[in-house]
Amino acid sequence: MAKLTVEDLKKIKEEYKAKTALREGAFRARVTVHMGTCGLAAGAREIMNVILEELEKSGATDVAVNTSGCAGLCSREPMITVQILDEPPVKYCDLNEEKTRKIVTEHILGGKVVEDLALVRGCETSY
């Protein structure tokens, strides 16, 4: 029997978290807008409005949008985390209206990570 490595355990953890986090709500994707005081001051409320507007225009009903407090990178706000079912979460930072519309179209609706805007993939414990 092969021994599990730390990397194997991290991969198992990521897969389990992705499955349980989204399936509990029966959504295909979850978007978290980080709305601590730093996020709000940097424009997180406008980012939330853009996301909701784009999702409404697309007719998507399988995307959950929620909020959280500060993600710990105040200087990189506004930030969002996008998690597609069975994939690790992706954090995007330094957002504006144009970047957010691109993320909604390409990643949230299209399923393709916007590499040039992504800060990091995976949970906080994996980077």
Side-chain angles (χ1 to χ4, degrees), residues 80 92 95 99-108 117:
I80 63 172
Y92 293 99
L95 297 177
K99 292 176 181 177
T100 304
R101 290 185 196 285
K102 183 175 181 176
I103 293 165
V104 171
T105 302
E106 293 183 20
H107 190 179
I108 299 168
L117 300 178

Side-chain angles (χ1 to χ4, degrees), residues 2-127:
K3 290 183 179 180
L4 292 174
T5 66
V6 172
E7 292 305 315
D8 293 333
L9 293 173
K10 285 181 179 178
K11 184 177 176 184
I12 291 169
K13 177 183 171 186
E14 292 286 336
E15 291 172 359
Y16 179 77
K17 286 181 83 173
K19 288 177 184 173
T20 57
L22 294 178
R23 287 188 180 147
E24 289 173 354
F27 294 102
R28 178 190 56 79
R30 180 180 310 264
V31 181
T32 302
V33 181
H34 301 280
M35 296 182 83
T37 51
C38 51
L40 290 170
R45 189 173 311 282
E46 291 77 18
I47 298 303
M48 171 71 100
N49 291 337
V50 169
I51 293 168
L52 295 175
E53 178 186 309
E54 290 297 311
L55 291 175
E56 184 178 329
K57 278 197 291 188
S58 74
T61 58
D62 58 352
V63 179
V65 180
N66 57 17
T67 63
S68 76
C70 177
L73 294 169
C74 303
S75 64
R76 305 298 303 266
E77 295 284 357
M79 293 177 59
I80 63 172
T81 301
V82 175
Q83 187 170 8
I84 306 293
L85 188 64
D86 296 331
E87 294 182 17
V90 179
K91 274 195 175 31
Y92 293 99
C93 61
D94 303 318
L95 297 177
N96 59 26
E97 189 174 317
E98 179 184 344
K99 292 176 181 177
T100 304
R101 290 185 196 285
K102 183 175 181 176
I103 293 165
V104 171
T105 302
E106 293 183 20
H107 190 179
I108 299 168
L109 298 174
K112 183 179 177 213
V113 175
V114 184
E115 297 289 347
D116 58 323
L117 300 178
L119 173 66
V120 68
R121 283 188 197 207
C123 295
E124 281 79 10
T125 56
S126 62
Y127 54 82

